[in-house]
Amino acid sequence: MQRDVSSCNTYNYGDAHYWDARYVQDALSFDWYQRYSSLRPFVRNFVPTSSRVLMVGCGNSLMSEDMVKDGYEDITNVDISSVAIEMMQTKYASVPQLKYMQMDVRDMSYFSDDSFDTVIDKGTLDSLMCGNDAPLSASRMLGEVSRLIKPGGTYFLITYGDPKVRMPHLNPSAYNWKISLYIIPRPGFKKPGDCSSSSKSCLEAVPLTSEGMLPHDYVLEDPDSHFIYICKKTDEEVAQIPSYPLMEDVL
């Protein structure tokens, strides 16, 4: 598997020193890719509010706070940056539903197997794919994610990576994941045919080929769309790819 360089630059996003320096310089809250308001229909459909949730690479995102306001009861947040974690521990000291821990997602041995119902990843796998030893880092992280998710639980991945560059990392049979894919436009994308008016609903799973790829004639309405992979852990080795239509009443 190759290092994904499609949206990488010269920064080593897998390095704690980079993130510590960044959060020292800019302490304002920032959400990668999408805010919770855009992701809420997917989260509410696949993540019960009673779930024990692990947010990997939380940074100083508001997503966990917004989930608590929406009724979620138990969210553990981890990040490689001690600066970010200390900032968030202070900010949410009075919010018992939120816990913050400094941790490298490639080694989460602090947690026992099957500790979480859901792992949410908004750009963290992408960061590792831009770092040194990218394929190894990705494998280590995904192995840990699979280990920590209970059978029946879900890895909820939001990424810029299309199936060609992400499915090779998500497909190993050892993970036992049934994978479905949704595609949403980037925030602010304006075009007749976006999520609100298109015949292609963002709430419909994208039909993938038997190899887990986009059909050759599939056209992205927004070339810079974000991809949501819903990876459900099963007890047995499974084949790709089921379809899970979303329910409109979670909007």
Side-chain angles (χ1 to χ4, degrees):
M1 291 181 286
Q2 299 296 314
R3 180 172 181 265
D4 179 6
V5 297
S6 57
S7 294
C8 296
N9 53 31
T10 57
Y11 299 120
N12 183 6
Y13 286 146
D15 182 67
H17 297 295
Y18 166 80
W19 291 109
D20 284 343
R22 177 165 177 157
Y23 289 120
V24 167
Q25 182 178 4
D26 187 0
L28 296 177
S29 297
F30 181 78
D31 272 279
W32 291 89
Y33 303 163
Q34 303 278 341
R35 295 182 178 179
Y36 180 63
S37 57
S38 299
L39 297 172
R40 183 178 184 268
F42 305 95
V43 175
R44 293 288 293 189
N45 195 75
F46 293 107
V47 185
T49 54
S50 59
S51 299
R52 188 180 186 206
V53 177
L54 176 65
M55 188 78 64
V56 292
C58 62
N60 58 6
S61 167
L62 293 175
M63 182 158 172
S64 292
E65 174 187 334
D66 290 339
M67 288 179 64
V68 168
K69 291 177 179 177
D70 200 23
Y72 287 88
E73 304 167 359
D74 186 353
I75 305 177
T76 298
N77 302 268
V78 300
D79 198 278
I80 198 171
S81 170
S82 59
V83 173
I85 291 299
E86 289 171 8
M87 181 190 312
M88 300 300 270
Q89 286 174 337
T90 300
K91 181 177 181 179
Y92 295 110
S94 61
V95 183
Q97 298 94 327
L98 295 176
K99 295 177 284 293
Y100 286 87
M101 304 176 65
Q102 192 276 331
M103 191 173 296
D104 188 330
V105 294
R106 291 165 289 194
D107 179 7
M108 295 186 283
S109 53
Y110 176 88
F111 301 119
S112 60
D113 295 0
D114 303 334
S115 290
F116 296 94
D117 301 293
T118 303
V119 174
I120 298 178
D121 171 1
K122 188 151 65 80
T124 300
L125 179 62
D126 291 1
S127 293
L128 292 181
M129 294 306 300
C130 289
N132 297 326
D133 300 319
L136 178 59
S137 289
S139 177
R140 287 177 173 173
M141 172 188 162
L142 294 173
E144 284 289 83
V145 168
S146 177
R147 180 181 68 81
L148 294 179
I149 296 174
K150 299 175 183 177
T154 301
Y155 175 42
F156 192 112
L157 171 64
I158 304 100
T159 170
Y160 64 73
D162 66 24
K164 183 177 179 180
V165 296
R166 286 295 171 265
M167 290 300 282
H169 296 280
L170 299 175
N171 257 335
S173 59
Y175 299 155
N176 292 346
W177 288 342
K178 284 187 176 181
I179 303 174
S180 55
L181 174 66
Y182 300 83
I183 300 177
I184 58 176
R186 68 188 184 277
F189 176 70
K190 299 294 184 182
K191 179 183 177 182
D194 65 9
C195 187
S196 62
S197 61
S198 173
S199 59
K200 291 182 183 177
S201 171
C202 295
L203 304 182
E204 295 178 5
V206 177
L208 300 177
T209 68
S210 59
E211 293 78 27
M213 298 293 116
L214 291 173
H216 72 279
D217 57 349
Y218 189 90
V219 178
L220 292 173
E221 293 172 343
D222 175 10
D224 296 317
S225 292
H226 294 129
F227 299 82
I228 300 175
Y229 297 85
I230 304 297
C231 309
K232 187 169 183 179
K233 186 176 181 180
T234 70
D235 289 316
E236 299 178 357
E237 186 172 336
V238 296
Q240 311 299 84
I241 295 285
S243 175
Y244 298 103
L246 287 176
M247 300 171 59
E248 295 284 351
D249 61 4
V250 301
L251 286 170

